[in-house]
Amino acid sequence: MNQENRTPVHVSIIMDGNGRWAKARGKERIYGHFEGVESVRACTEASVEEGVKYLSLYAFSEENWNRPEDEVVGLMSLMAKCMANELPTFMKNGVKFVVLGNLDRLDAELHAEINRCMELTSANDRLTLILFLSYSGKWDIHQAAKRMVADALASPEAAEKILNSGLSVFDEYLVTAGIPDPDLIIRTSGETRLSNYLLWQAAYSEFLFVDTLWPDFRKPEFRQALKAYASRDRRYGKVK
């Protein structure tokens, strides 16, 4: 958090409620996902305007692969199109685009578009927009543990470093290595759970659960969330 103006450095959002939003309007679930793209755009713009440095979005979990095939296919197609469409805006606004998760499960077309957007925006430094795709917190911890064990077995020097270092050494093996833990995690739609998201990284995050469905969460709602965060006293287990 920026102590001077109490703006969170990293805001993360569990985007929930697209399907219910569409159903309430007599539409297919994919219609809610299309409308949710507008909320992504609004929150990205608001982050730039308010000085947030990292905005991360939980777009698709490992568990979401169990959804109906037509919805999954539609979502993946939508993501590829949105990345291509938003690239000029990313460049204009200095947005670095990053996708994290178990990307081996993605199809070749989407994977290629992700790599293209990440490469072209890699030098931008006004805001880092992180999309968590095919991600789960348990998977992240598991893959980090496997990589850490492999390093320890391969090198005595690495093993000594791992054994003699604090918890921060584990951070280096998570997919979020180099990214600050979220100061604020917002979940839309009235649900009050993490849903297997950033289980390690959320240890000292502030949580805000709002009833607003994701397609209705725009700049005013985002700024209200920042205001609520600014009113909180973060002590990290200490006494002030």
Side-chain angles (χ1 to χ4, degrees):
M1 181 180 71
N2 185 320
Q3 294 293 340
E4 185 174 328
N5 59 19
R6 300 186 66 81
T7 299
V9 172
H10 183 177
V11 176
S12 194
I13 305 177
I14 302 173
M15 305 179 293
D16 196 14
N18 290 342
R20 276 168 282 172
W21 187 93
K23 185 177 180 181
R25 289 156 178 79
K27 304 284 188 178
E28 296 293 327
R29 288 176 57 87
I30 194 66
Y31 182 78
H33 296 307
F34 274 100
E35 192 64 27
V37 171
E38 296 301 320
S39 294
V40 172
R41 183 178 294 115
C43 290
T44 301
E45 291 176 357
S47 294
V48 171
E49 293 162 2
E50 297 296 328
V52 174
K53 300 302 293 181
Y54 294 84
L55 174 66
S56 58
L57 306 171
Y58 198 16
F60 192 87
S61 71
E62 283 271 275
E63 293 78 14
N64 287 156
W65 288 109
N66 296 318
R67 289 187 175 187
E69 184 179 359
D70 59 343
E71 182 179 353
V72 172
V73 171
L75 268 171
M76 295 302 163
S77 176
L78 175 61
M79 288 180 193
K81 290 177 182 177
C82 288
M83 289 175 200
N85 291 340
E86 294 300 315
L87 183 56
T89 304
F90 291 159
M91 300 305 296
K92 177 183 176 182
N93 294 330
V95 176
K96 179 180 180 179
F97 183 67
V98 176
V99 178
L100 300 176
N102 187 4
L103 305 187
D104 291 340
R105 299 191 66 173
L106 305 181
D107 63 52
E109 179 185 357
L110 180 55
H111 214 153
E113 189 59 42
I114 287 170
N115 289 336
R116 187 176 79 93
C117 287
M118 288 178 58
E119 181 179 356
L120 291 174
T121 64
S122 61
N124 295 342
D125 59 5
R126 193 172 182 187
L127 170 73
T128 299
L129 175 63
I130 305 158
L131 199 67
F132 284 93
L133 186 56
S134 188
Y135 175 86
S136 82
K138 287 184 177 180
W139 165 83
D140 194 7
I141 293 169
H142 185 233
Q143 66 83 31
K146 289 196 298 183
R147 290 173 54 216
M148 188 168 67
V149 169
D151 280 357
L153 291 174
S155 164
E157 293 78 13
E160 184 177 359
K161 175 186 175 183
I162 290 168
L163 290 171
N164 295 325
S165 297
L167 290 175
S168 61
V169 71
F170 194 71
D171 294 341
E172 299 173 14
Y173 290 90
L174 296 165
V175 296
T176 51
I179 296 170
D181 291 342
D183 299 295
L184 171 64
I185 296 178
I186 304 165
R187 181 166 187 154
T188 60
S189 87
E191 303 291 348
T192 54
R193 59 183 180 273
L194 270 178
S195 293
N196 202 3
Y197 181 55
L198 296 180
L199 300 180
W200 179 276
Q201 299 88 336
Y204 274 101
S205 300
E206 293 292 321
F207 295 94
L208 182 65
F209 300 105
V210 298
D211 292 332
T212 308
L213 300 177
W214 176 244
D216 292 325
F217 194 90
R218 301 295 170 89
K219 286 187 180 183
E221 289 76 18
F222 186 84
R223 291 195 170 102
Q224 186 61 37
L226 296 189
K227 183 178 179 180
Y229 172 85
S231 69
R232 299 186 183 184
D233 184 16
R234 303 185 75 196
R235 296 186 296 275
Y236 300 96
K238 302 175 184 178
V239 177
K240 289 186 178 181

